[in-house]
Amino acid sequence: MTTAFLKAANNYETTLNGAITSGATSMIVDSATGSPDVPFELSLIDQTDDTIFEIVKCTAKASTTFTITRAQGGTTAIAHADNDVVKCVISAEYNNQYATKLVDGSADLAV
């Protein structure tokens, strides 16, 4: 079995192209240019209050449509508005698992 690890891209940022509900499993972004290969994590951040956010995992992408798994890294699935900020991140949860794996090999980093 091949293990897939989360990918990342420095400074990838875009905005949502259309609102999504808390149950949506895909989203459209304004630009996919510079986004990493899947799988990767994104923060969806409220455009008026950056303390309101959700981390999602992108599992597939076709042009500017991303298939997502919601509520990653201990966050809650919430509705997001058109033009909310989308940023490539590595969540603290994944980073901590990676650090543990490096130290004692106990963390499962497969996604």
Side-chain angles (χ1 to χ4, degrees):
M1 176 176 130
T2 302
T3 301
F5 296 95
L6 289 176
K7 311 297 190 304
N10 290 332
N11 303 317
Y12 172 67
E13 183 174 331
T14 188
T15 53
L16 280 177
N17 185 345
I20 60 172
T21 67
S22 62
T25 58
S26 67
M27 64 183 196
I28 299 172
V29 296
D30 285 324
S31 174
T33 302
S35 65
D37 294 333
V38 296
F40 57 92
E41 290 183 324
L42 295 166
S43 277
L44 308 182
I45 305 165
D46 185 290
Q47 60 190 307
T48 61
D49 183 352
D50 64 6
T51 66
I52 301 172
F53 67 93
E54 175 187 358
I55 299 171
V56 300
K57 180 169 54 177
C58 180
T59 57
K61 64 178 181 176
S63 184
T64 57
T65 300
F66 294 174
T67 301
I68 55 174
T69 303
R70 306 297 295 269
Q72 301 295 293
T75 63
T76 300
I78 57 175
H80 296 279
D82 183 34
N83 292 317
D84 273 358
V85 178
V86 177
K87 288 185 178 185
C88 185
V89 299
I90 295 292
S91 68
E93 177 182 60
Y94 187 80
N95 188 60
N96 292 341
Q97 288 177 353
Y98 186 78
T100 300
K101 181 72 170 177
L102 290 175
V103 173
D104 64 19
S106 65
D108 179 8
L109 299 178
V111 291

